[in-house]
Amino acid sequence: ERVPGRLVVFKGYDPYYYWSRFSLENNDSIPREVILLFGGKGVRSAELWQNDDGNWHSHGKTGYKYPFSSRPYAFAQYCYPISIPAHTTSKFYLNLDESHAYKTFIHFVFRPDAMERFKNRFYYIFGIITGILFLFAVFNIYLFFSLREPIHIWYSLYILFALMFVIKHEGLDSQFLGLDSELGYRATYMAFFSVTGIGFLVHMTQLFLVNIRRKSILGYIFSVSKWWLWIGGVVSLFVFYLQPANSIEVSLFIFYNTAAQVGFTAIICGCIYSLVKGYKPALIL
C-alpha cells in the first residue's frame, strides 16, 4: 500500500508486522549522509536494510527491547544514520514490530546539520516543559503540607502523571530514566499515566467545584467517570504487560478512550454549571 500523503499515519491496533519501502537518490559525485527518523510509539523492534547495486546490508536493530546504548543513533526517538554512495539510488526496507501497541508511522529524512538543530530544539523545549511541570508538582506538594487542603495533593499527582506521559510519549524515559528494556517499557505503559492522570483531574475538579453536590446528577457523573478512568488505567497497565489477544486490547482502548471523553465532558459541564450558578472561581479551570 502506498503511504498516504500525511506527516503522521495512524493504523490503530492490529496484530500485523509492517515493512516500509523507500528509495533515496544521490546524483552528486561524493557520498551523502542523511538521518532517517521514524516515529511511532511502542516500537518493540526495528531493522533497516539497504540495497546498493544488489548488495544488501543491515543498519542494525533498535526499539524498546534493546538498550539505549546500542541504538544506531543516540537520540530519544528512533533514528538511523544512512550513507548513500555517489551516483547511486539506494533502496531501503524498514521492518517494524509494533505488536501490542497503538501503531503510529512517521518518517523523516534529515541532513546531519538539520538533525543536530532538530535535536537541540527538541531537548531544549522538552527540558523546559518537564522542568515547569516538575516545579508545579513540587509546589503543590508544599501547599498540601502547608495548607492541609487535599486538592493540592491531587493536583500534584495529576501533574506528575502528565509529566510521565510527556516523557514516555517523546521517548525520553529510555534515555534518562533507565527504562531502556522491554520490561521497563511495558511495565510503565503510556496510557496508564494519561488515563489515570485524567482521573486525578476529574477528582480535583470535583473537589474544586464546591457548589456541585456529590449526590447530584453532575456529582454522580464526576464520580463514575473518575472511577472508570482509574480502573481503566490500572487494567490497561496489566493488559499491556501481559499482551493478550488483539480484540482485548482494542476493547480496552475503546473503554478508556470513552471514559476520558466522559471525564472531560463532565469537567466542561461542571464548570459551565458552576459559572451559571455564580461560582466565579470555576473560570480558573
Side-chain angles (χ1 to χ4, degrees):
E1 297 179 0
R2 182 175 294 277
V3 177
R6 299 191 297 270
L7 292 177
V8 182
V9 178
F10 296 98
K11 295 295 290 187
Y13 276 93
D14 63 42
Y16 308 122
Y17 294 79
Y18 283 83
W19 287 88
S20 294
R21 181 183 66 186
F22 60 95
S23 300
L24 295 175
E25 183 178 3
N26 178 16
N27 293 319
D28 291 345
S29 58
I30 58 174
R32 289 295 182 184
E33 309 292 330
V34 295
I35 308 295
L36 169 68
L37 183 150
F38 61 98
K41 314 307 171 189
V43 178
R44 183 201 302 267
S45 180
E47 185 171 12
L48 180 67
W49 293 85
Q50 182 173 354
N51 186 326
D52 297 323
D53 299 325
N55 298 314
W56 288 96
H57 68 274
S58 171
H59 285 272
K61 294 183 178 182
T62 188
Y64 66 70
K65 68 179 292 185
Y66 305 105
F68 183 85
S69 58
S70 69
R71 291 189 180 184
Y73 189 85
F75 184 47
Q77 299 179 4
Y78 303 119
C79 298
Y80 279 106
I82 296 171
S83 178
I84 308 171
H87 302 295
T88 300
T89 298
S90 296
K91 297 179 181 179
F92 297 90
Y93 282 83
L94 177 63
N95 175 249
L96 291 173
D97 174 9
E98 292 184 271
S99 53
H100 302 283
Y102 191 84
K103 294 179 174 62
T104 306
F105 300 112
I106 309 169
H107 294 84
F108 291 101
V109 176
F110 290 91
R111 296 189 307 273
D113 58 336
M115 185 65 197
E116 284 299 315
R117 290 194 297 271
F118 175 78
K119 282 175 57 179
N120 293 337
R121 186 168 62 251
F122 174 89
Y123 287 123
Y124 178 76
I125 291 172
F126 285 102
I128 292 175
I129 292 173
T130 55
I132 290 173
L133 289 175
F134 184 74
L135 285 174
F136 274 136
V138 172
F139 180 65
N140 274 274
I141 292 173
Y142 166 77
L143 289 177
F144 169 72
F145 285 106
S146 298
L147 304 176
R148 299 295 178 180
E149 294 180 355
I151 192 171
H152 293 292
I153 198 67
W154 290 107
Y155 188 43
S156 64
L157 285 171
Y158 163 67
I159 294 173
L160 288 172
F161 272 64
L163 174 59
M164 277 303 301
F165 173 78
V166 170
I167 290 173
K168 290 285 296 183
H169 187 271
E170 300 304 327
L172 296 164
D173 58 318
S174 60
Q175 185 173 4
F176 297 106
L177 299 184
L179 300 176
D180 56 341
S181 66
E182 184 159 8
L183 175 61
Y185 185 86
R186 301 198 74 82
T188 55
Y189 184 33
M190 183 169 60
F192 165 71
F193 293 107
S194 64
V195 174
T196 309
I198 295 171
F200 292 143
L201 179 61
V202 173
H203 182 64
M204 184 199 73
T205 305
Q206 189 176 24
L207 293 176
F208 185 77
L209 300 177
V210 294
N211 64 330
I212 296 180
R213 293 179 295 105
R214 289 294 183 97
K215 293 186 178 181
S216 64
I217 295 176
L218 271 175
Y220 281 123
I221 293 174
F222 272 113
S223 297
V224 170
S225 61
K226 72 183 180 186
W227 280 107
W228 269 15
L229 288 160
W230 287 339
I231 293 171
V234 173
V235 172
S236 70
L237 190 64
F238 283 100
V239 167
F240 188 68
Y241 181 78
L242 296 174
Q243 305 175 62
N246 186 70
S247 58
I248 296 176
E249 294 176 330
V250 173
S251 299
L252 180 62
F253 175 79
I254 295 172
F255 171 80
Y256 62 63
N257 190 49
T258 303
Q261 294 176 20
V262 172
F264 280 122
T265 303
I267 291 172
I268 294 171
C269 292
C271 290
I272 294 173
Y273 174 83
S274 294
L275 285 171
V276 170
K277 292 296 182 177
Y279 187 65
K280 294 183 180 180
L283 280 171
I284 298 174
L285 294 174

